[in-house]
Amino acid sequence: EGVMTVSGRDTVWENSGDDIRLGYVRTMGTLFIDNGAAVRNAAGAILGRSNSYLRGSTGIVSVSGAGSRWTNQGSLVVGGNSLYEDSMPAVGELTVTDGAYVSSAVGNLGGNNADIRAYGGSGTATISGSDGDGNASTWEIANELVVGVGGSIGRGTGTLTISDGGLVSAGSVQIAQRNLSTGTINIGAAVGDAATAAGTLSTPTIAFGAGNGLLNLNYLDASYVVDSAISGQGKIAHNGSGVTHF
C-alpha cells in the first residue's frame, strides 16, 4: 500500500512521463492533493487495475480545497479492467471537494475504453461543494465521459455523484456503455439517501448504452433544469422534493 500527499499552495508535482497508476495489479494506492497544491500530468491516470484471482487493486484520489488542481492531458480511468471472470475487481475512487479542480481529456468509470479486457472494474466519482469564494468543485472533461464502461465480455460498474453545487462538464456523456455494465449518475443524493442540493452536469448529450443505466435526480432544488438531449434505453428516477424542468 502506498500513500502520497501533495499539499500547499506552492507545491507542484509535474509528471512528464507515462500514466499515473494507483492500485495497479494487486496493490492499493492513494493520492491526496489539498491546500492549493497542483499535480500536472502530461499523460492520463488509472485508478485500479486487476489481473489476479486472489486480490483486487484499489486506486484512490482525493482533491480538496480552494486552488487545488489535478490536470491530466490524457484519459482519467476510475476503476479499470479485470482480466479474469473470477478475479477480484479493480476499484477506483475519485473525490473532488471544497472548490478543487480536476481535468482530463476523457473520463471512464468502471472500465477502460483504451485497454478493453474481459471485465470492467468498479469506479465511483463524487464531485461536491464549493470553496469560500463560491468556486464549484469541478471535473472538466474535454471529450466523452462514460459512466459504466464494462469489458469485452461484461461487468463493470460506474457511479457518478454531483451534489451541493459541484460541477461536471463533458463533451458528451454515456451511461452503461456495454452489455452487462451498470452506470448511475446521481444529481444530488444517491437512491435511498436523503435529498440534498443538486450539482450540475453540463453536457450537450446524455446517451444510455447497452447496459443498465440510471439517471437519478434526488435533490431539494425548487427549479432545476436538465437541458441535455437524452437518448437510448435507460431509467430516469425522480426522488426528493425538488422540481425538474426538461
Side-chain angles (χ1 to χ4, degrees):
E1 179 179 345
V3 178
M4 181 174 184
T5 300
V6 185
S7 183
R9 288 197 172 276
D10 295 324
T11 306
V12 178
W13 174 23
E14 295 266 9
N15 176 43
S16 59
D18 203 350
D19 291 341
I20 293 175
R21 299 171 181 176
L22 298 167
Y24 200 79
V25 184
R26 293 179 294 177
T27 60
M28 179 175 180
T30 304
L31 171 63
F32 296 100
I33 306 167
D34 57 31
N35 295 317
V39 174
R40 300 168 185 161
N41 185 19
I46 300 172
L47 313 186
R49 181 178 183 275
S50 179
N51 67 351
S52 172
Y53 286 108
L54 302 176
R55 184 179 177 186
S57 301
T58 300
I60 299 171
V61 174
S62 172
V63 190
S64 62
S68 300
R69 297 174 66 86
W70 183 27
T71 56
N72 299 277
Q73 297 301 312
S75 299
L76 175 49
V77 176
V78 184
N81 295 314
S82 301
L83 185 58
Y84 306 111
E85 181 177 9
D86 296 329
S87 65
M88 298 295 288
V91 176
E93 299 176 13
L94 170 67
T95 305
V96 186
T97 57
D98 299 327
Y101 173 87
V102 173
S103 67
S104 60
V106 171
N108 283 178
L109 277 66
N112 184 356
N113 272 324
D115 179 30
I116 289 296
R117 292 179 181 254
Y119 302 93
S122 175
T124 62
T126 301
I127 319 299
S128 180
S130 59
D131 63 19
D133 294 325
N135 297 306
S137 304
T138 300
W139 183 10
E140 182 178 12
I141 302 152
N143 301 299
E144 185 179 46
L145 167 64
V146 182
V147 181
V149 176
S152 60
I153 296 176
R155 204 172 64 188
T157 300
T159 304
L160 171 65
T161 300
I162 316 168
S163 63
D164 294 321
L167 169 65
V168 174
S169 65
S172 62
V173 172
Q174 189 168 182
I175 306 174
Q177 184 178 49
R178 289 183 171 81
N179 186 36
L180 301 180
S181 67
T182 299
T184 301
I185 297 179
N186 299 309
I187 306 296
V191 175
D193 290 347
T196 185
T200 299
L201 176 60
S202 177
T203 182
T205 60
I206 299 172
F208 289 102
N212 181 22
L214 170 64
L215 175 60
N216 172 49
L217 309 175
N218 188 13
Y219 42 73
L220 302 170
D221 300 50
S223 181
Y224 187 88
V225 177
V226 177
D227 56 5
S228 304
I230 301 176
S231 63
Q233 295 185 359
K235 182 178 179 181
I236 300 175
H238 196 288
N239 298 287
S241 61
V243 177
T244 304
H245 303 276
F246 288 93

